[in-house]
Amino acid sequence: MIKEAIAGQKEGWRFTPGEALTGPHFAPAGMPAAQPPLGGRVLCPVGFHRAALVNGRWESKHALLKLPAGVSVESLAQANEPATAVSADLPLAAVAANSKDGIVVRVGRHVRVDKPIHLIHLAESSGKTAEAANARVRIVLEAGASAEIVEEYVSFGDAPFWTNVRSQVVLSEGASLKHYRVVRQGTQGRLTNALELELGSRSRYESHVFNLSGLFAREDVRALMAGEGAEAHLNGLALLSGSQFADHHTVVEHAAVGGNTRELYKAVLDDKSRFVFDGLIHVKPGAQKTDAQVYNKNLLLSEDAKVNTNPEFKILADDVSCKHGGAVGQMSQEALFYLRSRGIGDEAARRLLVYAFGSEMIERVGLEPLRAALTDALHGLTPEAAEDKK
Amino acid sequence: MLKITNLHAKVGDKAILKGLNLTVKPGEVHAIMGPNGSGKSTLSYVLAGRPGYTVTEGAAEYDGKDLLAMDPEIRAREGVFLAFQYPVEIPGVSNKYFLKAAYNSLRKHRGEPEMDAGAFLKFIKEKAKSVEMDPAFLNRSVNEGFSGGEKKRNEILQLATLEPKLAILDETDSGLDIDALKIVAEGVNKMRGPKRAFVVVTHYQRLLDYIVPDFVHVLSGGRIIKSGGKELALELEKKGYSWIEDSGSVPKAAA
């Protein structure tokens, strides 16, 4: 079924090595026999509200929820969330849509959630066989509500594991969400996430996605700028090496007046890693005063690494401001020599320049503990440079 | 301290230096003057070890060691410093971090303990003051958005911080107005001392009014064709380079 579904999506999957998903025979993952505690295995501090899915199922043992009035974080199975239709070009979301469990977050009118909410997608592999888990996430912010949500996709070990998620975010008028996603998977970890967004009038959605490890990660964002003056900020940083692959497909549909989109995705690629960026802004007739920018910048550290970048516009309104750009470059030899001429060793200088390229995306993270955790995660890559940022 | 013998170098396929000889002793300030395209910047880059600049013949001995065999970072750690004609912008790396990394790499090389962030900040603020640099520049990305004068001042800040034994200033006066030039020259003059040598590469005599050299050499066609005292610079200013190039001075005069 997966094979057929992917095979039917020729255009959007042209540069995606779908065999990572269709090659192994993935069996549905059951609940693991033992559940080691989360301590030390996730990025965010225990001070956050926390909910976790283990292999796609709600695990109340890992939940830390003392929520203020007007906020709920529940198991999707228990909340009895009805299934909703999936767009035909998101075949994997259709698969995930049938999953029995997941997480539902609701924030009531004008409620501001006191602390960030940490949602953990944990893959506990049984061992050597290939396993897969599906899940759904639904986040609904009512008018004027605001929240910060960190989703972390985590797996460990070397057995193939595929996490397939369908995520939906609905922001009503004037709602504001900061949505962080951190991908930290094992060497054979695969993640596919289809993220559908619906933004009401003057709502603001800010997203930061970090690909830190794992074999394969693909995210499809479908944003509908439904209300006047909606704002979407999509940020991404992928740090890739070995034969890792990351793919960001974003389609932002401006259907109302005065929408604002800012996209910046960056990737650092070493060895034989690969990165795909496909960013489409679709301005519909009547969506005047749309202001959109889509950029993708890539740093290649190896001749064997490869990037396919395709920022794109489809504009059917006449009073709009749209800019896009895609850049693929190598490390500046001038900058490298400048650093070395001051006594900084070749290796340290290279790491420093990689850090310099990526740090912009970390600096955009407003959530301090997460920012520190991401800096620490980058620490392994550039231990010295990180020290200065603290 | 520095002994360059019969140095030949090319950039890509183009031969630029064609048998250059120069000896610099501790405490001395040597000015290298010459018209555009004579090989001044190539000499600077060859001494600093820039990739792409290939030595095809000859030698450069620094403190009794083979300078040309060292990687650029080793040269820096051994006390060679090049002030760039066009300092490089490095977005995303703060100036103070850059300076600390450089400073500590030198200390480490000398077997001294590295300086921690707090102590370094205090130290570097003092240094910034000594070259009249606003400490706000320490928090900005290296040279990013700096004016021409600010970039050159940042080079002098690095010079003052790293305290090299041999400092090469490549066209440090280019793009500077007279006030900036004075500040930069003053920064250099403070660094002069019996153990430190300077090689000042410049097209114009102007800089040498403020950094007064002990020796002046004229570089032309990849060789030093005339050497003299500081009065030679004044003569060049009056008569232009064609005066020497036409007079047929023999290159051996500089050896």
Side-chain angles (χ1 to χ4, degrees), chain A residues 266 299 331-332 334-336 338-340 342 344 347-361 363 382 384-389, chain B residues 88-103 120 136-146 154 158:
Chain A
K266 283 189 166 188
L299 176 61
M331 188 170 281
S332 158
E334 263 202 321
L336 189 59
Y338 191 64
L339 294 173
R340 293 179 72 193
R342 298 303 182 244
I344 299 168
E347 188 59 36
R350 284 173 194 276
R351 277 184 309 182
L352 185 54
L353 292 175
V354 169
Y355 185 88
F357 178 83
S359 63
E360 178 187 6
M361 307 314 292
E363 278 159 24
T382 58
E384 288 179 53
E387 183 193 328
D388 182 59
K389 299 283 175 185
Chain B
V88 182
E89 298 192 6
I90 310 182
V93 177
S94 81
N95 210 17
K96 69 173 181 219
Y97 175 74
F98 162 63
L99 288 158
K100 178 160 81 72
Y103 182 71
F120 184 78
F137 283 95
L138 296 172
N139 290 320
R140 287 173 56 176
S141 288
V142 177
N143 293 325
E144 194 189 24
F146 287 24
N154 204 28
Q158 293 166 46

Side-chain angles (χ1 to χ4, degrees), chain B residues 182-227:
Chain B
K182 279 182 187 165
I183 291 168
V184 163
E186 199 183 320
V188 170
N189 287 330
K190 278 184 200 160
M191 297 288 296
R192 289 178 77 155
K195 288 184 180 163
R196 182 171 293 128
F198 286 86
V199 174
V200 181
V201 174
T202 181
H203 184 82
Y204 299 104
Q205 191 269 337
R206 188 179 70 150
L207 178 67
L208 305 181
D209 287 340
Y210 301 96
I211 303 173
V212 180
D214 302 306
F215 302 94
V216 174
H217 310 275
V218 180
L219 183 60
S220 176
R223 307 190 212 188
I224 285 172
I225 57 167
K226 191 172 179 68
S227 298

Side-chain angles (χ1 to χ4, degrees), chain B:
Chain B
M1 174 176 287
L2 177 68
K3 189 164 191 280
I4 302 173
T5 321
N6 190 32
L7 187 65
H8 288 68
K10 59 181 186 180
V11 184
D13 287 333
K14 200 176 172 207
I16 308 282
L17 298 183
K18 300 168 184 170
L20 187 142
N21 296 294
L22 179 69
T23 300
V24 177
K25 296 198 176 80
E28 294 177 351
V29 175
H30 291 247
I32 309 273
M33 300 186 71
N36 290 327
S38 58
K40 299 193 300 290
S41 281
T42 299
L43 174 63
S44 304
Y45 283 140
V46 165
L47 294 178
R50 183 175 184 143
Y53 289 71
T54 320
V55 173
T56 51
E57 207 185 323
E61 202 178 90
Y62 167 73
D63 264 356
K65 293 173 196 152
D66 180 2
L67 181 69
L68 303 177
M70 298 178 201
D71 283 333
E73 58 267 35
I74 304 299
R75 299 182 196 199
R77 293 172 196 169
E78 290 281 333
V80 177
F81 179 89
L82 169 64
F84 281 55
Q85 180 177 7
Y86 303 109
V88 182
E89 298 192 6
I90 310 182
V93 177
S94 81
N95 210 17
K96 69 173 181 219
Y97 175 74
F98 162 63
L99 288 158
K100 178 160 81 72
Y103 182 71
N104 276 335
S105 70
L106 267 59
R107 286 180 68 104
K108 207 170 158 186
H109 186 70
R110 295 193 296 255
E112 298 165 15
E114 295 184 27
M115 199 182 260
D116 67 44
F120 184 78
L121 194 61
K122 216 169 146 185
F123 167 78
I124 198 67
K125 277 184 176 163
E126 281 303 311
K127 291 285 182 187
K129 204 186 271 176
S130 77
V131 298
E132 298 180 43
M133 182 191 265
D134 180 346
F137 283 95
L138 296 172
N139 290 320
R140 287 173 56 176
S141 288
V142 177
N143 293 325
E144 194 189 24
F146 287 24
S147 71
E150 286 157 359
K151 281 181 181 169
K152 293 295 167 76
R153 205 175 296 185
N154 204 28
E155 294 294 289
I156 302 306
L157 173 63
Q158 293 166 46
L159 172 74
T161 304
L162 301 180
E163 301 186 317
K165 283 192 262 183
L166 173 65
I168 303 150
L169 312 182
D170 185 9
E171 306 270 3
T172 292
D173 49 330
S174 70
L176 293 189
D177 61 32
I178 197 71
D179 293 328
L181 182 70
K182 279 182 187 165
I183 291 168
V184 163
E186 199 183 320
V188 170
N189 287 330
K190 278 184 200 160
M191 297 288 296
R192 289 178 77 155
K195 288 184 180 163
R196 182 171 293 128
F198 286 86
V199 174
V200 181
V201 174
T202 181
H203 184 82
Y204 299 104
Q205 191 269 337
R206 188 179 70 150
L207 178 67
L208 305 181
D209 287 340
Y210 301 96
I211 303 173
V212 180
D214 302 306
F215 302 94
V216 174
H217 310 275
V218 180
L219 183 60
S220 176
R223 307 190 212 188
I224 285 172
I225 57 167
K226 191 172 179 68
S227 298
K230 61 184 176 218
E231 65 288 346
L232 178 57
L234 294 167
E235 213 170 337
L236 283 168
E237 182 77 358
K238 245 183 273 166
K239 300 185 182 172
Y241 288 111
S242 54
W243 156 66
I244 300 180
E245 287 173 316
D246 294 344
S247 73
S249 296
V250 283
K252 285 196 176 75

Side-chain angles (χ1 to χ4, degrees), chain A residues 175-206:
Chain A
S176 167
L177 176 66
K178 287 188 181 174
H179 191 191
Y180 304 94
R181 298 178 303 291
V182 183
V183 183
R184 293 171 61 231
Q185 304 187 95
T187 55
Q188 287 293 315
R190 283 107 163 136
L191 171 69
T192 47
N193 181 30
L195 171 57
E196 296 153 88
L197 311 169
E198 194 181 319
L199 307 190
S201 305
R202 289 174 299 284
S203 65
R204 187 179 190 281
Y205 176 77
E206 181 182 320

